[in-house]
Amino acid sequence: MKLDVIVIDDSSINLVLTSHLIHKFEGCITSEFNNPKQALEWCFEHVPDLVIVDFMMPEMDGIEFIRRFRALPERADIPVLMVTANDQIEIRHRALEAGANDFLNKPIDKIEFAARVRNMLSLRRSQRKLLDQAAWLSEEVKLATNEILARERETIIRLSKAADSRDPETGAHILRMSHFCKLIASHIGVSEENQQILLDAAPMHDVGKVGIPDNILLKPGRLDPTEFDIMKQHSFLGYEILNGSESVILKAAAEIALSHHEKFDGSGYPFGLVGDKIPLFARICAVADVFDALTSERPYKKAWPDDQAIAYLREGRGKHFDPMCVDVFLENWDEVMEIRNRFKD
Ligand SMILES: [Fe+2]
Ligand SMILES: [Fe+2]
């Protein structure tokens, strides 16, 4: 292990002498300063492993140096030795308060010097080993967490596919609408972390359709009122499938499944929630989901041309849809097109 020792003393002879003694320790290199201000500047950029600082210096004394050094981030635990005369007890007390760990007597006694420096260096070596282990551990934890997250995403996509297999909605619809959701979220101040959660959760919005009988789910024509009432249950069924998990993605997905058919003016289902009583993710999903459904071909309908679908969103602004979500969706049309080209049927 290479160890960086910084030596600060206004006397050049002392600097040379101290550095010479330090070089006898294996792996130690020194940086020498006869000006404490320059030494402090050096410490802004470098983290030394040991500081040896004289007390009596012009401009800034050793105690002031230690105080400022200790105030720098990540410099609180680095061993600091101050060089003073043995009888300066009051100075030593102040130096201890400022953060000195030990003292070297002036004039320097080689044996004592060697013993104290050795102690400080071995302390620092253990510190560095601990730090390395902590860094290694946190890297491992990060890798493991990413792996779990990747599996969680995979599970979600497979679960969504299971629902899809009976649904005329295609896999590409799921991908487009979830990316439209992220697009909208990114322009209304949703944090990147939550954008990702929304992207992962939105594909499950219709998972509750697994519980809808085929004769209704796959009916080519319009549903009669009784059939439509049954169809409406898919939001609650989806919520029941997804609810109660500790996973932030599944929590968001449960909320979306339950509320993605609510309408901004309160005319939606299941609860007829109004405005921002509807969860934000669900308001975002409503725009993304309806727009993609309109512009996609389904067994029972042709794809609407874009201008007609845009007119539908404008018409539904403030009625079916949150106006803010409609606005940012239409304002960022380039991104809408990019997503559509990326995920074709
Ligand atoms: Fe739905
Ligand atoms: Fe959908």
Side-chain angles (χ1 to χ4, degrees), residues 149 152-153 156 178 181-182 185 190-204 246-256 281 285:
L149 218 76
E152 191 181 358
R153 289 202 179 111
I156 287 163
S178 56
C181 285
K182 182 168 187 269
V190 173
S191 71
E192 285 204 18
E193 195 189 338
N194 284 331
Q195 288 174 36
Q196 185 63 45
I197 292 171
L198 175 57
L199 178 70
D200 292 332
M204 291 174 274
E246 285 299 314
S247 150
V248 284
I249 299 174
L250 291 182
K251 275 185 184 153
E255 186 180 82
I256 291 167
F281 279 3
C285 277

Side-chain angles (χ1 to χ4, degrees), residues 205-206 209 234 260-261 289:
H205 63 281
D206 270 340
K209 284 186 180 171
H234 83 274
H260 71 284
H261 288 288
D289 190 31

